[in-house]
Amino acid sequence: MHGEFRPGESLTLRGIGKMFDVSMTPSREAVRRLVADGGLILSASGRVSTPELSNERIEELASIRALIEPELASRALPRAHIALIERLQTINGTIAEMVAKHDDVGYIRANLEFHRTLYLRAQAPAMLALTETVWLQLGPTMRALYARLNRTEVPHNHRLIVAALRAGDEPGLRLAVRSDVTGGLRMLTV
Amino acid sequence: MHGEFRPGESLTLRGIGKMFDVSMTPSREAVRRLVADGGLILSASGRVSTPELSNERIEELASIRALIEPELASRALPRAHIALIERLQTINGTIAEMVAKHDDVGYIRANLEFHRTLYLRAQAPAMLALTETVWLQLGPTMRALYARLNRTEVPHNHRLIVAALRAGDEPGLRLAVRSDVTGGLRMLTV
DNA sequence: TTCCTGCGTTTGTGATCACATTCGCGCGCA
DNA sequence: TGCGCGCGAATGTGATCACAAACGCAGGAA
């Protein structure tokens, strides 16, 4: 999910086991879970690798994000106290640090934390879980994107999201979230 | 997904293994996969059971269906030839049979097949997979519902869906799908 | 009757093994 | 130089085992 693996990277059960000092059994269970969620793909012969998404698939996943995430943001809006908004601004600060350090994985992690922090307020665990499933599928691909473009600042849409939250502007919030979600992924499709 | 298990039913790895004449290992992997998708829940001590959904959770899952499924139907609409529409009507016939036989599991299975057949035309595999994840979570609960109410005919909304497809009526299709999806689940919340 | 306490049984966990399949690299041939 | 064949290494699969934890039922105390 955080882009620690590149698209198409292949993994082995024994290798994963060594990473975490466990035997093959726990590796297999973890892999099975990730495969179920689309975070890893299983070849016909049972080999495991990170997904290499086609452009169509990327667009589809972006559509799903554009469908669900504005809804989550909208549900979070009535419950967004000032403490939450400040927390989001702090995370934006972290994002700025990651941009400065050119830490791609850190950037993705902080970016997703921004969204998750907001959506947690929606009190919609199943919807959030579904969204995280989509993030999981996009992880390796997002890494490939952010490594390519050279960001200089925090995404503009994050500031728009915070502003809309402050103003209680529901349509503005939906639009800002939608733009933030589709904006980054649009440049993924080569 | 098809409601073969009641909500809160508990399963054991060794028991599942016996069902399919395999050892614990394949059972564990299958269970892990279903747990990842929310089709089964894992207690703190590792015991496995089917989920007993709260009313809030049922409403949330219904919202997700109401959000995604009209989108899938809408994407399928331009590609819905006459052959597809006839296939949907055939499935409606199967549903009528299941109603007559009071076969709850068969009813759920045919009902989901109706939706899946339509959505497959949307050419959106990730979106369909997400939707099936939701169906999976609702499976045991749907069984509990359909066993309770005594249906006498095919759901009216299924006929509306077919009519909207024939007419190429996109707003009507979205509405019919949305009604079909939320209608059944509304009476679940006791 | 109700609650608590033990204890035997059931259950999940992680490790390990044998085996069939597949991969990938190098050799040899054209 | 390019292509196909073959063999050894690597990999996933399913089974089994030892062990610790949890469960659930029975018996006893209040």
PDB file of all heavy atoms in Angstrom, chain B residues 27-42:
ATOM      1  N   SER B  27      -7.714 -25.364   4.381  1.00  0.00           N
ATOM      2  CA  SER B  27      -8.799 -24.693   5.101  1.00  0.00           C
ATOM      3  C   SER B  27      -8.329 -23.344   5.623  1.00  0.00           C
ATOM      4  O   SER B  27      -9.016 -22.336   5.492  1.00  0.00           O
ATOM      5  CB  SER B  27      -9.274 -25.545   6.271  1.00  0.00           C
ATOM      6  OG  SER B  27      -9.534 -26.861   5.872  1.00  0.00           O
ATOM      7  N   ARG B  28      -7.149 -23.360   6.209  1.00  0.00           N
ATOM      8  CA  ARG B  28      -6.639 -22.113   6.783  1.00  0.00           C
ATOM      9  C   ARG B  28      -6.480 -21.046   5.729  1.00  0.00           C
ATOM     10  O   ARG B  28      -6.816 -19.876   5.950  1.00  0.00           O
ATOM     11  CB  ARG B  28      -5.291 -22.362   7.457  1.00  0.00           C
ATOM     12  CG  ARG B  28      -5.411 -23.064   8.756  1.00  0.00           C
ATOM     13  CD  ARG B  28      -4.107 -23.639   9.176  1.00  0.00           C
ATOM     14  NE  ARG B  28      -3.165 -22.620   9.614  1.00  0.00           N
ATOM     15  CZ  ARG B  28      -1.999 -22.901  10.139  1.00  0.00           C
ATOM     16  NH1 ARG B  28      -1.621 -24.158  10.253  1.00  0.00           N
ATOM     17  NH2 ARG B  28      -1.200 -21.956  10.528  1.00  0.00           N
ATOM     18  N   GLU B  29      -5.982 -21.436   4.581  1.00  0.00           N
ATOM     19  CA  GLU B  29      -5.765 -20.439   3.533  1.00  0.00           C
ATOM     20  C   GLU B  29      -7.089 -19.883   3.033  1.00  0.00           C
ATOM     21  O   GLU B  29      -7.228 -18.672   2.832  1.00  0.00           O
ATOM     22  CB  GLU B  29      -4.983 -21.067   2.379  1.00  0.00           C
ATOM     23  CG  GLU B  29      -3.595 -21.483   2.806  1.00  0.00           C
ATOM     24  CD  GLU B  29      -2.763 -21.967   1.643  1.00  0.00           C
ATOM     25  OE1 GLU B  29      -3.221 -21.888   0.497  1.00  0.00           O
ATOM     26  OE2 GLU B  29      -1.636 -22.429   1.885  1.00  0.00           O
ATOM     27  N   ALA B  30      -8.067 -20.762   2.857  1.00  0.00           N
ATOM     28  CA  ALA B  30      -9.371 -20.296   2.385  1.00  0.00           C
ATOM     29  C   ALA B  30     -10.011 -19.378   3.417  1.00  0.00           C
ATOM     30  O   ALA B  30     -10.548 -18.316   3.076  1.00  0.00           O
ATOM     31  CB  ALA B  30     -10.276 -21.497   2.094  1.00  0.00           C
ATOM     32  N   VAL B  31      -9.900 -19.773   4.673  1.00  0.00           N
ATOM     33  CA  VAL B  31     -10.485 -18.949   5.729  1.00  0.00           C
ATOM     34  C   VAL B  31      -9.804 -17.589   5.773  1.00  0.00           C
ATOM     35  O   VAL B  31     -10.464 -16.555   5.885  1.00  0.00           O
ATOM     36  CB  VAL B  31     -10.349 -19.672   7.088  1.00  0.00           C
ATOM     37  CG1 VAL B  31     -10.514 -18.701   8.233  1.00  0.00           C
ATOM     38  CG2 VAL B  31     -11.376 -20.784   7.181  1.00  0.00           C
ATOM     39  N   ARG B  32      -8.484 -17.591   5.659  1.00  0.00           N
ATOM     40  CA  ARG B  32      -7.774 -16.315   5.678  1.00  0.00           C
ATOM     41  C   ARG B  32      -8.234 -15.395   4.570  1.00  0.00           C
ATOM     42  O   ARG B  32      -8.366 -14.194   4.729  1.00  0.00           O
ATOM     43  CB  ARG B  32      -6.269 -16.545   5.550  1.00  0.00           C
ATOM     44  CG  ARG B  32      -5.628 -16.959   6.831  1.00  0.00           C
ATOM     45  CD  ARG B  32      -6.011 -15.977   7.916  1.00  0.00           C
ATOM     46  NE  ARG B  32      -5.005 -15.848   8.952  1.00  0.00           N
ATOM     47  CZ  ARG B  32      -4.956 -16.603  10.033  1.00  0.00           C
ATOM     48  NH1 ARG B  32      -5.847 -17.547  10.217  1.00  0.00           N
ATOM     49  NH2 ARG B  32      -4.036 -16.405  10.944  1.00  0.00           N
ATOM     50  N   ARG B  33      -8.481 -15.971   3.426  1.00  0.00           N
ATOM     51  CA  ARG B  33      -8.934 -15.170   2.296  1.00  0.00           C
ATOM     52  C   ARG B  33     -10.317 -14.582   2.571  1.00  0.00           C
ATOM     53  O   ARG B  33     -10.574 -13.402   2.326  1.00  0.00           O
ATOM     54  CB  ARG B  33      -8.994 -16.054   1.053  1.00  0.00           C
ATOM     55  CG  ARG B  33      -9.409 -15.277  -0.135  1.00  0.00           C
ATOM     56  CD  ARG B  33      -9.686 -16.124  -1.342  1.00  0.00           C
ATOM     57  NE  ARG B  33     -10.545 -15.336  -2.226  1.00  0.00           N
ATOM     58  CZ  ARG B  33     -11.091 -15.785  -3.333  1.00  0.00           C
ATOM     59  NH1 ARG B  33     -10.867 -17.017  -3.708  1.00  0.00           N
ATOM     60  NH2 ARG B  33     -11.846 -15.013  -4.057  1.00  0.00           N
ATOM     61  N   LEU B  34     -11.214 -15.423   3.089  1.00  0.00           N
ATOM     62  CA  LEU B  34     -12.566 -14.941   3.358  1.00  0.00           C
ATOM     63  C   LEU B  34     -12.582 -13.916   4.475  1.00  0.00           C
ATOM     64  O   LEU B  34     -13.350 -12.954   4.441  1.00  0.00           O
ATOM     65  CB  LEU B  34     -13.477 -16.129   3.692  1.00  0.00           C
ATOM     66  CG  LEU B  34     -13.779 -17.016   2.486  1.00  0.00           C
ATOM     67  CD1 LEU B  34     -14.403 -18.319   2.920  1.00  0.00           C
ATOM     68  CD2 LEU B  34     -14.703 -16.287   1.519  1.00  0.00           C
ATOM     69  N   VAL B  35     -11.712 -14.103   5.457  1.00  0.00           N
ATOM     70  CA  VAL B  35     -11.622 -13.125   6.534  1.00  0.00           C
ATOM     71  C   VAL B  35     -11.142 -11.786   5.979  1.00  0.00           C
ATOM     72  O   VAL B  35     -11.647 -10.724   6.351  1.00  0.00           O
ATOM     73  CB  VAL B  35     -10.679 -13.624   7.644  1.00  0.00           C
ATOM     74  CG1 VAL B  35     -10.326 -12.501   8.604  1.00  0.00           C
ATOM     75  CG2 VAL B  35     -11.327 -14.774   8.402  1.00  0.00           C
ATOM     76  N   ALA B  36     -10.185 -11.840   5.066  1.00  0.00           N
ATOM     77  CA  ALA B  36      -9.666 -10.599   4.475  1.00  0.00           C
ATOM     78  C   ALA B  36     -10.775  -9.831   3.779  1.00  0.00           C
ATOM     79  O   ALA B  36     -10.782  -8.601   3.775  1.00  0.00           O
ATOM     80  CB  ALA B  36      -8.547 -10.919   3.488  1.00  0.00           C
ATOM     81  N   ASP B  37     -11.723 -10.535   3.198  1.00  0.00           N
ATOM     82  CA  ASP B  37     -12.800  -9.877   2.465  1.00  0.00           C
ATOM     83  C   ASP B  37     -14.019  -9.602   3.332  1.00  0.00           C
ATOM     84  O   ASP B  37     -15.027  -9.118   2.826  1.00  0.00           O
ATOM     85  CB  ASP B  37     -13.218 -10.742   1.267  1.00  0.00           C
ATOM     86  CG  ASP B  37     -12.208 -10.641   0.142  1.00  0.00           C
ATOM     87  OD1 ASP B  37     -11.508  -9.622   0.067  1.00  0.00           O
ATOM     88  OD2 ASP B  37     -12.130 -11.587  -0.665  1.00  0.00           O
ATOM     89  N   GLY B  38     -13.939  -9.950   4.612  1.00  0.00           N
ATOM     90  CA  GLY B  38     -15.078  -9.673   5.485  1.00  0.00           C
ATOM     91  C   GLY B  38     -16.170 -10.718   5.411  1.00  0.00           C
ATOM     92  O   GLY B  38     -17.236 -10.534   5.994  1.00  0.00           O
ATOM     93  N   GLY B  39     -15.947 -11.796   4.706  1.00  0.00           N
ATOM     94  CA  GLY B  39     -16.946 -12.848   4.588  1.00  0.00           C
ATOM     95  C   GLY B  39     -17.012 -13.710   5.831  1.00  0.00           C
ATOM     96  O   GLY B  39     -18.029 -14.347   6.108  1.00  0.00           O
ATOM     97  N   LEU B  40     -15.936 -13.750   6.567  1.00  0.00           N
ATOM     98  CA  LEU B  40     -15.904 -14.433   7.857  1.00  0.00           C
ATOM     99  C   LEU B  40     -15.216 -13.495   8.831  1.00  0.00           C
ATOM    100  O   LEU B  40     -14.455 -12.617   8.435  1.00  0.00           O
ATOM    101  CB  LEU B  40     -15.106 -15.744   7.766  1.00  0.00           C
ATOM    102  CG  LEU B  40     -15.724 -16.880   6.944  1.00  0.00           C
ATOM    103  CD1 LEU B  40     -14.750 -18.055   6.861  1.00  0.00           C
ATOM    104  CD2 LEU B  40     -17.038 -17.339   7.559  1.00  0.00           C
ATOM    105  N   ILE B  41     -15.488 -13.686  10.105  1.00  0.00           N
ATOM    106  CA  ILE B  41     -14.792 -12.866  11.087  1.00  0.00           C
ATOM    107  C   ILE B  41     -13.970 -13.753  12.003  1.00  0.00           C
ATOM    108  O   ILE B  41     -14.295 -14.915  12.229  1.00  0.00           O
ATOM    109  CB  ILE B  41     -15.736 -11.980  11.915  1.00  0.00           C
ATOM    110  CG1 ILE B  41     -16.714 -12.847  12.701  1.00  0.00           C
ATOM    111  CG2 ILE B  41     -16.473 -10.985  11.040  1.00  0.00           C
ATOM    112  CD1 ILE B  41     -17.397 -12.118  13.799  1.00  0.00           C
ATOM    113  N   LEU B  42     -12.877 -13.178  12.474  1.00  0.00           N
ATOM    114  CA  LEU B  42     -11.920 -13.893  13.287  1.00  0.00           C
ATOM    115  C   LEU B  42     -11.987 -13.319  14.687  1.00  0.00           C
ATOM    116  O   LEU B  42     -11.750 -12.134  14.890  1.00  0.00           O
ATOM    117  CB  LEU B  42     -10.521 -13.670  12.684  1.00  0.00           C
ATOM    118  CG  LEU B  42      -9.454 -14.723  12.886  1.00  0.00           C
ATOM    119  CD1 LEU B  42      -9.898 -16.035  12.283  1.00  0.00           C
ATOM    120  CD2 LEU B  42      -8.165 -14.246  12.253  1.00  0.00           C
TER     121      LEU B  42
END
